[in-house]
Amino acid sequence: MFSIKSKIILAYTLVFGLMLTVFAFIIYHSTKEAAFLKLNTNLKAYSISLRAEIEDELDDSASLNLKRLSSIKSKGLIGERFQLFNIQGNIIIYDSVLSKASMPNMDKILNESYEIDRQKIGHRRYHILWSKFETENDSVYILETAASVKDVFDELDRLFYLFIIIIPAGLILTGFAAYFISKAAFKPVNQMAETAKNISGVNLEQRLELPRAKDEVRALGETLNEMIERIDNAFRSQKRFVANASHEIRTPLTVIQTELEILEKRLNDNESKESIKNALSEIEDLTKLTNSLLTITKLDSSETKLNISRVRIDELLADCVQAMNQSAIKKNTQLNLSIEDAIEINADKEKLKSVFLNLIDNAIKYSPECSSVSIILEKLNDNKIKVSVENTGTGISPSDIPYIFNRFYRSNEIRSEVSGSGLGLAIAKEVVELHRGEIKAESKVGEKTIFSVILPEINA
Ligand SMILES: Nc1ncnc2c1ncn2[C@@H]1O[C@H](COP(=O)(O)OP(=O)(O)O)[C@@H](O)[C@H]1O
Ligand SMILES: [Mg+2]
C-alpha cells in the first residue's frame, strides 16, 4: 500500500520523534531534580545562617531582633520566610503564610536535624525545612524556613515550551530530510524503471543507465541489463530463424507453383484440375505468409530505411486497383477509385504500395460477394493527404478494433472462414508510421468498414 519511500520517511520520523521525546523527558526530569537540589541546598544555607543569628541573639540578650532576622537573605531563593518554635511547639516568631503549613511529626524533626517537605500553601508551592537546635542554656528550638519553588517551575515551564516547539520542528525537519534522502536514493531506481518500461521487442538493444556509485542499485541494474541482453539474443536468433526459414521456403514454393501450373495445363480431367487449383491456392497463401514474414523481419531489423522518392499517389492507387482487379472479379466485387487531383508525395513507393494492396485485399476478402469497394484519395487542409478504403460487410466488432494492428491478430469469426496470416495490418501500420503518418480503422458492425491512411504531403 505504501511505497518504500514513504515507509522510509515514516520510519525515520518515528524513530527520530521517539528519540527526541525520550531525550526531552530525560532533560526535563534531570533539570527538575537539579533545580530542586539547588533550592534545597540554598534553603539549608539560609536556615544555617538564620539559626546562627538566632543563637547569637538569644545568647547575647535572650531577645530576638525580628528586623535583623528578616534582613537575612539567601542567594538563589525567592519568597523565603521563617517561623520559630520552642520545644513545646509554641510559636515564638510567627509567619502568616507558614502558619498555614502542616507540621510533620515532632519526633521526626527532633531525631533528624533537617527535615524538608514540599507543600502547597495558597496557590504557591514551597519547600519547607525544619531544623532543631540548642542554645547555650540548653533550650531547644525548632526553626522552620521555607522558599517558594516558583522560580524552578518557571524555568521548567520555559523548558517545556521549548520542547513543544523543538520536537515538532525536529519532526518536520526529519521528514523533509528523509524525503530528500530517499528521493535521491531512489532516483536511479526510478530512472531504471522508466527506461525498462519503454523497452519492448522493437528496441531490445537499449540498456538501463547505471548509477555511478557501485552500490546495490547498480548491481540490480547490471543484472537487469544482462537479462535484457539474453532476451535480445534470444529474440535475434528467433528472428534470424524466421527470416532464414521464410527465405529458404520461398524458392521451393515457386518451383512447386510453376510445376503445378504446368501440370494443370497438361491435365484434361476436371477433378484433377480442381485438386491442383486448390493446391495452387494454398501455395498462394503460403507465399503471401512467407513474404509477410520476410517483410516483418526486415522491418524489425533496424536496417530498414525508407527508399524515399517522389511518388504520384494517384497513380500508385490506380496501379493497386489494377493489381487487385483479378481478385475482385473472382468475388464479383467492384473497385471504385475516386481521385480528386494528381498528388505527388515523398514516400517509399514499394512499401506504400504493399500497404494499399493489403487494405484493398482485406476489403475484398472481408466483404460479401457482389459488393463494391471504394478507394478515395483526398487532400486535407493541413498539408496532408488521406486515402480511405471502404467496404460493406460484417465489419469489425469494437472489441477487436484495438487489436487488429497487432501481429498475427485475426478476429475469431473470420479465422476459420477466410485465409490470412494476421500480419497485413501490422506491416501497414509500421510502414505508415515510418512515413510519419497514421492509420485508423472505423467500423459499423453489419454495415461497413473504413480504413484511412493519413500521410504528410511533403513538398507537394
Ligand atoms: N475490411 C475489413 N473488414 C472486416 N474485418 C477486417 C477488415 N480488414 C481487416 N479486418 C480484420 O483485421 C484482421 C487483421 O487483418 P490483416 O492484418 O490484414 O490480416 P489478414 O488479412 O491476414 O487476416 C483480419 O483478420 C480481420 O479480422
Ligand atoms: Mg490482410
Side-chain angles (χ1 to χ4, degrees):
M1 195 169 76
F2 286 115
S3 69
I4 298 184
K5 205 160 98 182
S6 29
K7 277 185 199 158
I8 289 179
I9 297 174
L10 204 72
Y12 261 85
T13 318
L14 276 181
V15 169
F16 191 68
L18 203 73
M19 270 166 54
L20 258 184
T21 316
V22 170
F23 186 64
F25 186 80
I26 293 171
I27 289 200
Y28 184 85
H29 278 275
S30 49
T31 311
K32 189 174 165 187
E33 288 310 311
F36 279 162
L37 199 70
K38 203 168 118 200
L39 181 87
N40 291 348
T41 314
N42 288 339
L43 189 58
K44 227 180 234 177
Y46 173 57
S47 169
I48 289 169
S49 26
L50 206 57
R51 200 170 83 181
E53 182 62 30
I54 293 171
E55 278 176 32
D56 277 357
E57 287 183 8
L58 286 176
D59 289 347
D60 291 352
S61 59
S63 76
L64 292 166
N65 182 339
L66 199 58
K67 209 169 180 189
R68 178 124 40 93
L69 289 175
S70 305
S71 72
I72 292 178
K73 295 283 170 207
S74 172
K75 238 185 12 195
L77 288 184
I78 54 159
E80 64 268 55
R81 39 185 74 242
F82 68 95
Q83 279 193 141
L84 190 66
F85 300 87
N86 61 14
I87 185 74
Q88 287 80 28
N90 299 324
I91 291 191
I92 295 170
I93 298 175
Y94 167 85
D95 181 88
S96 58
V97 172
L98 289 187
S99 63
K100 288 178 204 141
S102 57
M103 188 118 167
N105 192 314
M106 192 58 100
D107 292 344
K108 222 175 163 194
I109 301 175
L110 294 177
N111 286 337
E112 294 166 33
S113 49
Y114 295 106
E115 169 74 19
I116 292 183
D117 191 21
R118 286 177 201 177
Q119 285 191 26
K120 195 173 179 186
I121 308 169
H123 52 269
R124 274 198 173 193
R125 283 176 194 282
Y126 287 90
H127 272 203
I128 308 174
L129 181 147
W130 286 271
S131 84
K132 172 200 78 169
F133 66 95
E134 277 178 48
T135 52
E136 278 181 355
N137 54 14
D138 290 339
S139 324
V140 176
Y141 292 92
I142 294 160
L143 175 64
E144 178 183 11
T145 46
S148 158
V149 294
K150 185 176 179 296
D151 234 18
V152 175
F153 277 109
D154 281 354
E155 198 179 320
L156 288 175
D157 278 353
R158 272 198 298 278
L159 201 61
F160 182 75
Y161 289 121
L162 196 68
F163 286 144
I164 288 247
I165 297 167
I166 282 180
I167 293 178
L171 287 185
I172 292 171
L173 265 173
T174 322
F176 270 111
Y179 171 77
F180 286 112
I181 291 170
S182 56
K183 194 176 163 188
F186 281 103
K187 198 173 162 201
V189 179
N190 290 340
Q191 273 172 348
M192 284 188 338
E194 204 50 45
T195 326
K197 225 186 273 171
N198 295 326
I199 296 181
S200 66
V202 230
N203 56 351
L204 271 174
E205 69 285 348
Q206 218 173 308
R207 293 291 176 271
L208 306 179
E209 210 180 295
L210 301 177
R212 246 179 278 144
K214 288 202 160 108
D215 54 10
E216 292 86 343
V217 178
R218 191 189 166 95
L220 175 68
E222 280 169 351
T223 315
L224 286 176
N225 273 345
E226 282 162 20
M227 190 184 81
I228 299 169
E229 174 96 42
R230 286 197 296 275
I231 298 176
D232 191 17
N233 286 339
F235 251 67
R236 273 178 211 274
S237 60
Q238 187 210 9
K239 280 177 191 162
R240 222 174 302 127
F241 169 75
V242 174
N244 291 343
S246 321
H247 198 79
E248 294 303 320
I249 288 169
R250 264 211 313 194
T251 325
L253 273 181
T254 324
V255 176
I256 297 170
Q257 189 182 7
T258 326
E259 295 294 327
L260 283 176
E261 277 164 0
I262 295 169
L263 192 62
E264 190 197 7
K265 277 182 195 134
R266 285 208 198 127
L267 283 173
N268 290 323
D269 95 278
N270 282 344
E271 220 171 288
S272 309
K273 265 183 171 231
E274 194 56 34
S275 303
I276 285 180
K277 226 184 199 155
N278 289 342
L280 274 170
S281 148
E282 293 295 324
I283 284 173
E284 201 183 323
D285 287 345
L286 210 54
T287 312
K288 273 188 196 162
L289 172 65
T290 45
N291 285 340
S292 296
L293 283 174
L294 263 180
T295 314
I296 216 118
T297 48
K298 271 191 200 144
L299 281 171
D300 279 347
S301 65
S302 38
E303 74 201 50
T304 349
K305 299 237 162 49
L306 292 180
N307 193 0
I308 298 281
S309 62
R310 301 292 289 162
V311 178
R312 280 278 300 275
I313 188 87
D314 52 313
E315 285 180 1
L316 183 115
L317 288 174
D319 285 353
C320 293
V321 169
Q322 176 79 36
M324 295 310 296
N325 216 23
Q326 220 33 47
S327 323
I329 288 169
K330 274 189 206 159
K331 275 191 80 175
N332 267 326
T333 300
Q334 204 181 328
L335 298 180
N336 301 320
L337 178 60
S338 150
I339 289 167
E340 242 177 40
D341 242 332
I343 302 173
E344 212 172 42
I345 63 164
N346 285 341
D348 183 320
K349 192 174 176 183
E350 285 314 309
K351 291 206 174 72
L352 212 54
K353 196 171 173 183
S354 75
V355 171
F356 296 124
L357 282 178
N358 180 59
L359 291 182
I360 301 170
D361 178 49
N362 282 351
I364 299 169
K365 264 201 310 196
Y366 300 119
S367 54
E369 298 243 347
C370 310
S371 51
S372 67
V373 170
S374 312
I375 301 108
I376 305 153
L377 169 66
E378 54 194 321
K379 259 187 183 173
L380 300 181
N381 288 335
D382 45 357
N383 205 27
K384 285 177 178 168
I385 59 141
K386 178 173 160 184
V387 179
S388 321
V389 179
E390 188 178 329
N391 69 286
T392 53
T394 47
I396 310 170
S397 75
S399 58
D400 280 332
I401 290 266
Y403 306 106
I404 51 167
F405 293 103
N406 290 357
R407 292 179 183 186
F408 302 108
Y409 189 87
R410 309 191 71 216
S411 74
N412 279 335
E413 301 92 71
I414 54 95
R415 192 177 282 273
S416 52
E417 290 167 24
V418 190
S419 70
S421 63
L423 282 172
L425 287 180
I427 294 173
K429 187 173 160 73
E430 283 185 41
V431 171
V432 169
E433 283 174 357
L434 275 177
H435 281 87
R436 270 180 266 122
E438 56 175 319
I439 182 164
K440 285 186 299 192
E442 295 159 73
S443 190
K444 269 194 180 161
V445 177
E447 273 183 50
K448 62 175 177 181
T449 306
I450 308 170
F451 277 87
S452 29
V453 174
I454 295 172
L455 292 167
E457 186 199 2
I458 310 158
N459 299 331

